[in-house]
Amino acid sequence: GCEALWYLCFNAATKLKVSSGGMKAVVAALRGHVGAEEVQEAGCRALAKITNAERVEPLLHIFDSWGEEALSGIIETVLAGMRAHAFAPGVQEQAFLALGNLATARDTTKDKIAELGGLEALLAGMRAHADAAGVQVAGSSALCSLCDNNDNNRVKAAELFGIEVVLAGMNVHEDAEGVQLQGCRALSNLSVQNADNQAKVAALGGIKAVVACMRTHAGIPGVQAHGCRALRTLCDDASNRERIRKLHRDVVEGAMAAHPSSRAVQDEGRKLAGKLA
């Protein structure tokens, strides 16, 4: 059932038709089979696909019709599966993707996920599966979503050693472009408008990690764009800005020179160059 729904959601029109009823069916399956690893992985995969919306309006309409209590129930169900299968990387990865998508639906969802222990569960899963690149990609992506425009989650994630977890994943998977790209995104959202986190990222070797990934993946525009964005965010700290200006200016110039047709690289590169001027 969950796998069938997942396949149906590859068609945009079909996905819209099955979204509301499909989510209810998936959540029911997850609740009824908490101890079944295969059901939890397949259910979270289907939920992640259903909630991965290019247009968020249909998803918001569903959530509005269900109410906050029902949405909290979905989050609790996903977290229950994560806790029951803490050592199953497939469950963790798919649950991270589902939570990340749910977090983008509305700002209150980010708060609810954190309130229900989502940040703790997310970081615990990333620690437990440090060697699984897919888990690290999905985990950093979810953390990025949870910290987007949410000061409380940025503070809490840092207190829970979230910066250390992201950097550990980047250090273990230096050759995995997905881990590096999502790691840069997470570091940027953890640091934006947060002076303490900007200083902490630098003290833990975050500037070095971002620059290293940009050098290793010089041909990947996504890594270059998000690397520039992460460095630009860290530049809000004066000492970080001076360090990047003196030691790593060439990486920005190299990114822009290597990707002249990438609008994202050019935009982020110019913004970072402007801060370093």
Side-chain angles (χ1 to χ4, degrees):
C2 290
E3 290 288 353
L5 282 171
W6 179 69
Y7 280 112
L8 285 171
C9 287
F10 278 93
N11 180 283
T14 306
K15 177 179 177 179
L16 188 59
K17 291 179 182 178
V18 305
S19 289
S20 183
M23 266 197 283
K24 289 180 180 178
V26 168
V27 172
L30 290 171
R31 287 175 179 160
H33 303 278
V34 177
E37 180 181 330
E38 290 184 0
V39 175
Q40 293 299 310
E41 182 174 346
C44 284
R45 181 184 292 112
L47 187 59
K49 190 66 178 176
I50 292 170
T51 55
N52 183 17
E54 291 184 7
R55 292 176 59 245
V56 75
E57 291 84 2
L59 194 58
L60 287 175
H61 177 71
I62 292 170
F63 290 161
D64 288 340
S65 67
W66 287 9
E68 291 294 331
E69 185 176 347
L71 183 54
S72 295
I74 296 174
I75 296 167
E76 289 174 333
T77 300
V78 173
L79 292 175
M82 289 172 62
R83 291 169 182 137
H85 302 280
F87 298 105
V91 174
Q92 298 296 309
E93 179 179 346
Q94 297 305 321
F96 291 171
L97 292 172
L99 285 178
N101 289 345
L102 289 168
T104 63
R106 54 166 60 132
D107 290 338
T108 55
T109 310
K110 296 172 188 146
D111 295 327
K112 180 58 67 174
I113 291 172
E115 177 187 325
L116 294 172
L119 284 169
E120 289 89 344
L122 170 65
L123 295 172
M126 292 180 72
R127 288 190 191 96
H129 302 284
D131 60 340
V135 173
Q136 298 303 307
V137 171
S140 287
S141 177
L143 186 60
C144 177
S145 296
L146 286 165
C147 292
D148 186 35
N149 293 317
N150 195 300
D151 294 333
N152 290 334
N153 283 355
R154 289 182 194 122
V155 172
K156 186 172 183 178
E159 291 173 347
L160 293 169
F161 305 102
I163 295 170
E164 288 89 337
V165 171
V166 171
L167 289 174
M170 293 177 71
N171 289 334
V172 170
H173 301 280
E174 293 179 350
D175 295 328
E177 63 185 69
V179 176
Q180 300 301 316
L181 188 154
Q182 296 300 336
C184 287
R185 290 184 69 232
L187 291 176
S188 182
N189 274 9
L190 280 162
S191 301
V192 67
Q193 297 179 343
N194 188 303
D196 290 340
N197 285 1
Q198 291 162 15
K200 187 173 184 180
V201 169
L204 291 169
I207 293 175
K208 180 180 178 182
V210 172
V211 170
C213 87
M214 291 179 70
R215 296 191 193 282
T216 300
H217 301 280
I220 309 300
V223 173
Q224 299 304 302
H226 288 292
C228 284
R229 181 172 181 264
L231 292 177
R232 175 166 61 87
T233 301
L234 293 169
C235 274
D236 286 343
D237 177 277
S239 60
N240 289 349
R241 184 167 60 252
E242 188 61 23
R243 179 180 176 186
I244 294 168
R245 180 188 290 125
K246 286 184 176 180
L247 300 177
H248 306 301
R249 196 166 191 158
D250 65 301
V251 78
V252 186
E253 297 167 351
M256 296 180 71
H259 301 280
S261 61
S262 171
R263 181 174 179 179
V265 174
Q266 295 301 312
D267 286 349
E268 291 296 341
R270 277 194 292 269
K271 290 174 183 176
L272 175 55
K275 277 199 171 184
L276 296 175

